[in-house]
Amino acid sequence: MQHAEPLDHGVAEAPSLGVDNRKLLMWLFLGSEAMFFGSLIATYLLYRGKSVAGPFPGHGFDYNIPYTSVSSFVLLMSSLTMVLALAAIQRGDQRGLRTWLLATALLGLVFVGGQAFEFTSFVQKGVTIHTNVFGSSFFTLTGFHGAHVTIGIVILLSLFVMALRGRFTPENALTIELAGLYWHFVDVVWILIFTLVYLISPK
Amino acid sequence: MTHAQPTTEHSQANAVVRHTGHPGAKEYVAIAVILAIITAVEVAIYYLPALRPILPPVLIVLSLTKFSMVALFFMHLKFDSRFFSVVFITGILIAVFVFVVFLSMIRVFFV
């Protein structure tokens, strides 16, 4: 009776597509996230102007564009710091990695804090997730985005702690790259939200 | 049953996935400056009454430009395997398709 040869645990199969499996997984995940946020943005756009009661853009409610512009700039710059963190570890610069990872996390915190403040100001103006379809679609969309940013901040701070312990080298920089892909995706979603929700809105 | 030869084939796979020609720090900063300028232009256009009629298409073009720049340069789609671009764009296209189908369902396209 022939026995199957034991599996050689701990040795990864060579990828057959010519790409790193972990990177492929992250891009597949981002593809699904694109569908997710695409649906939420589409829902917001379809409900635009359809509220029958309560304040909504153009009817007793206006966005604070200067405030949100600054938030958008902060998140945009966090994408720069994230890619600088990756560039740093790819050339073996440990200090640069830690600096730029921390900077990215801090900028993300500023953005999320700004969003939280904006949400409270909306509530004071009478717009909540229960008020009307505008409130529901807006808070669902931006709330999910904010949650994604928050998760990203947790990831970044975890990586920062690992970087403090010298866990990263140019050889395993893929970990930083994967976190960077997630963070940049969160930024591009906001690029679309800022334009479609805030700038293209009735005054 | 043959086992994979992880040492040789894995190294070759790594050689395939290893990409060259990435931007450096200076290029990343330059791209970030361009993105910031585009954002400033978007906000400026928002406040110009004369441009109100063409605001949506202009803003959409500008935001798609920013989207593309982040995806191509910061996310390295320009320098990586095209397969990643296919995966990412497919997700976006499916979302757009769902949006168009939904518009049709609520008879936006019917007179």
Side-chain angles (χ1 to χ4, degrees), chain B:
Chain B
M1 176 180 174
T2 55
H3 292 284
Q5 301 286 326
T7 306
T8 306
E9 290 180 12
H10 209 70
S11 302
Q12 288 174 353
N14 281 338
V16 170
V17 303
R18 197 181 310 126
H19 34 261
T20 57
H22 275 200
K26 281 185 186 171
E27 287 83 2
Y28 287 134
V29 171
I31 291 163
V33 168
I34 294 171
L35 291 171
I37 290 172
I38 295 176
T39 305
V41 168
E42 285 178 331
V43 175
I45 289 174
Y46 174 82
Y47 285 108
L48 292 174
L51 293 178
R52 266 274 134 176
I54 59 166
L55 190 65
V58 170
L59 286 178
I60 288 170
V61 166
L62 290 175
S63 68
L64 287 177
T65 303
K66 282 167 40 179
F67 183 109
S68 303
M69 287 182 72
V70 173
L72 287 170
F73 294 102
F74 285 176
M75 298 173 86
H76 294 161
L77 275 182
K78 190 175 192 289
F79 313 101
D80 261 337
S81 166
R82 292 217 178 250
F83 190 60
F84 296 139
S85 300
V86 169
V87 165
F88 188 50
I89 291 170
T90 298
I92 295 170
L93 289 177
I94 290 174
V96 170
F97 175 71
V98 167
F99 182 46
V100 170
V101 166
F102 194 27
L103 283 177
S104 301
M105 282 171 58
I106 61 172
R107 297 178 181 270
V108 165
F109 296 130
F110 292 99
V111 175

Side-chain angles (χ1 to χ4, degrees), chain A residues 82-158:
Chain A
M82 184 71 233
V83 78
L84 288 176
L86 175 62
I89 191 56
Q90 284 177 336
R91 61 174 186 267
D93 180 358
Q94 296 285 344
R95 187 159 172 255
L97 170 69
R98 292 192 296 268
T99 302
W100 294 122
L101 274 179
L102 188 61
T104 308
L106 289 176
L107 288 171
L109 275 169
V110 169
F111 175 82
V112 168
Q115 283 293 94
F117 178 76
E118 187 183 48
F119 287 178
T120 59
S121 71
F122 284 12
V123 170
Q124 286 171 357
K125 290 177 187 174
V127 178
T128 70
I129 198 169
H130 307 289
T131 304
N132 47 24
V133 291
F134 161 66
S136 300
S137 55
F138 174 82
F139 280 111
T140 301
L141 169 61
T142 55
F144 267 114
H145 179 264
H148 278 72
V149 175
T150 303
I151 290 167
I153 292 168
V154 171
I155 292 171
L156 288 169
L157 291 175
S158 304

Side-chain angles (χ1 to χ4, degrees), chain A residues 136-201:
Chain A
S136 300
S137 55
F138 174 82
F139 280 111
T140 301
L141 169 61
T142 55
F144 267 114
H145 179 264
H148 278 72
V149 175
T150 303
I151 290 167
I153 292 168
V154 171
I155 292 171
L156 288 169
L157 291 175
S158 304
L159 293 178
F160 174 71
V161 170
M162 291 171 68
L164 282 175
R165 295 175 181 172
R167 292 281 187 90
F168 295 114
T169 65
E171 285 67 42
N172 66 1
L174 180 68
T175 305
I176 305 297
E177 187 173 1
L178 295 179
L181 287 176
Y182 177 84
W183 191 259
H184 295 311
F185 178 76
V186 155
D187 183 30
V188 297
V189 168
W190 184 256
I191 286 172
L192 294 176
I193 291 176
F194 179 56
T195 299
L196 296 173
V197 172
Y198 288 85
L199 294 182
I200 304 179
S201 68

